[in-house]
Amino acid sequence: MTGSEESKKFDHKSFLEKVSSRPGVYDMRDHSGKTLYIGKAKNLKNRLSSYFRATGLTTKTMALVSKIADIQLTITHTETEALLLEQNLIKDRKPPYNILLRDDKSYPYIYISGDDDFPRMDSCRGRKRQKGQYFGPYPSSGAVRESLHLLQKIFKVRQCTDIYFNNRTRPCLQYQINRCKAPCVGLVSKEEYQQDLEDTRQFLDGKNQQLIRSLIKRMEDAAESLDFEEAAATRDKINHLRAVQEQQTVTKSAGDIDVIGFAQMGGNTCFDVLFVRSGRLLGHKYYFPDFKLEAEQSDYLEDFMAQFYVRLFASRDFPEEIVVPFELAGADTIEDAIQAVSGKKIKIKDKVRSERHDWLGLANKNAQQNLESHLASKSHLNQRYAQLKGLLDIEQPILRMECFDISHTMGEATVASCVVFGPEGPVFSEYRRYNITGIEPGDDYAAMAMALDKRYQKLAEANAGEGARPDLIIIDGGKGQLGKASEVMTRLQLPIPLLGVAKGVTRKPGLETLIYQDQELNPEGADAALLLIQQIRDEAHRFAITGHRQRRQKARNRSVLEDIPGIGSKRRSALLKFFGGREGVSGATIEELKKVEGISLKLAQQIHEYFHND
């Protein structure tokens, strides 16, 4: 350590003498003022003293302490208040030594519309803006689709959009395959449809036994009235519901419960959350938080729950109860923090029996299996990276790869994609698409050059805003695209290795031609590396095609009248209605255009000139 660095070393002794013993939040910063780690404590003095003890520190904690130049404190009234402030600061500053759970998507719900004569059923995410009933949340969109398919099969409640429903003149295919009763064309009475809706609500509320008893009574009444067709249909519903009930774990006392499983292996951690709603197990979701500092299992669980329920769950539904895999020292603080953000009192339990004990065992088993699979795939991925490094004879480890592809249809709506792979695989949050304009349609070389310029211009200017520097850039293309890419990177003065992946003569997967440093590589014996290249190339291709199709569809759905100055949505609608479509507008004379409401002589002349300016 140099003299100047020694003089800047953090004087923890004098700092700790002045630290309060009250609850609060601490913000550890480096010499540049950047936040390294944010934590909360019931007793700030005791907690911060633990970082500077002479022995017993882990390697990761020592690395953090060595970078500390300043610690800023915020005193709070309670530990709960400190936890809430801590999570807000972590969300805003994203410190490198804190765990950062990423769960950007809100959870899906099943929605039954309100105020309709024949309400529809659908899935939805986000805020509950529409009037109606919401059931869930479900752990994934797949679980919602599966439930909707089952409900449509048993109760035949419509799932079509209102626009589709209001414009039907005859029953659709869902009626033909006995998945809907065609309320759109009046083939079912409102009373019968409302009964089907009420049955659906009971099922979604977990009242299966009550529903089955009601259906049995209706079946018997229909049989006594000699309505054997109705009795048989009701019997089929009962059989379906009983089959579903056998497949689901249902608690005797219905409730909304989250069950958290835990597994740890080789320095890696997995949490698996089971979602129980209205007494029914809807599914699960697992997480692999990257804990930068070593700590006790209870501390890991508290950090996970603070982010999962306080930071990420602030706008979502909360359960009534949370079952955890072991005793949580900060359970009271977490409960109070959840109540503060949700307004709902929940209870955290670690000693459970009966169904809850079974669910906890299932959650722990899921966590263990997911962690083992995660480590196995990670090991395979590390092998692929190592083999690729050897194939290309690169000295430094390959920790970040970026791959580019171009997609268009005969030069229309050209889109370039850039996908990013890190040590864990795809880094979806850093994927980027670039709309390519101002080039000759179909010129893939120019498109590739423009995409690289857009991607790396800021990096060349030493602006970190466009992401980290890749260790390898992969170009989906042959020598032409690779040569163009090399020109751009030379001009930007970024000596990053470039690998071209050209389709082979047969254009079959696995038989691509690899071009590196103006030479074709022989990947024989490097199957793992080739699989990694194929994976990132295929991902770039998929991402580019998706973006191209979206852009092309948007362009084709756009009205050509939008390009005419002075023609807004109302005038555009009036023109199309008056002339019956674009062809009618383009073929109209100035006198005919003037007849449309809101179209002056000047506007009529502009419209006519637009279509006849050649």
Side-chain angles (χ1 to χ4, degrees), residues 276-331:
V276 179
R277 294 296 181 268
S278 300
R280 295 190 301 121
L281 179 57
L282 299 183
H284 71 111
K285 205 166 189 178
Y286 54 85
Y287 300 83
F288 302 103
D290 183 13
F291 291 102
K292 302 297 193 301
L293 302 177
E294 296 178 24
E296 298 296 324
Q297 289 184 352
S298 180
D299 295 327
Y300 284 161
L301 178 59
E302 184 175 351
D303 284 349
F304 171 78
M305 292 181 67
Q307 292 225 8
F308 190 74
Y309 290 105
V310 178
R311 182 170 76 84
L312 295 179
F313 250 52
S315 61
R316 302 175 187 163
D317 280 354
F318 289 79
E320 299 163 352
E321 181 183 324
I322 302 173
V323 176
V324 294
F326 40 77
E327 186 176 357
L328 182 63

Side-chain angles (χ1 to χ4, degrees), residues 393-411:
D393 195 21
I394 297 176
E395 293 183 3
Q396 74 277 9
I398 300 175
L399 301 177
R400 181 186 179 93
M401 297 190 299
E402 299 188 358
C403 182
F404 291 82
D405 189 22
I406 306 295
S407 181
H408 58 82
T409 302
M410 304 295 289

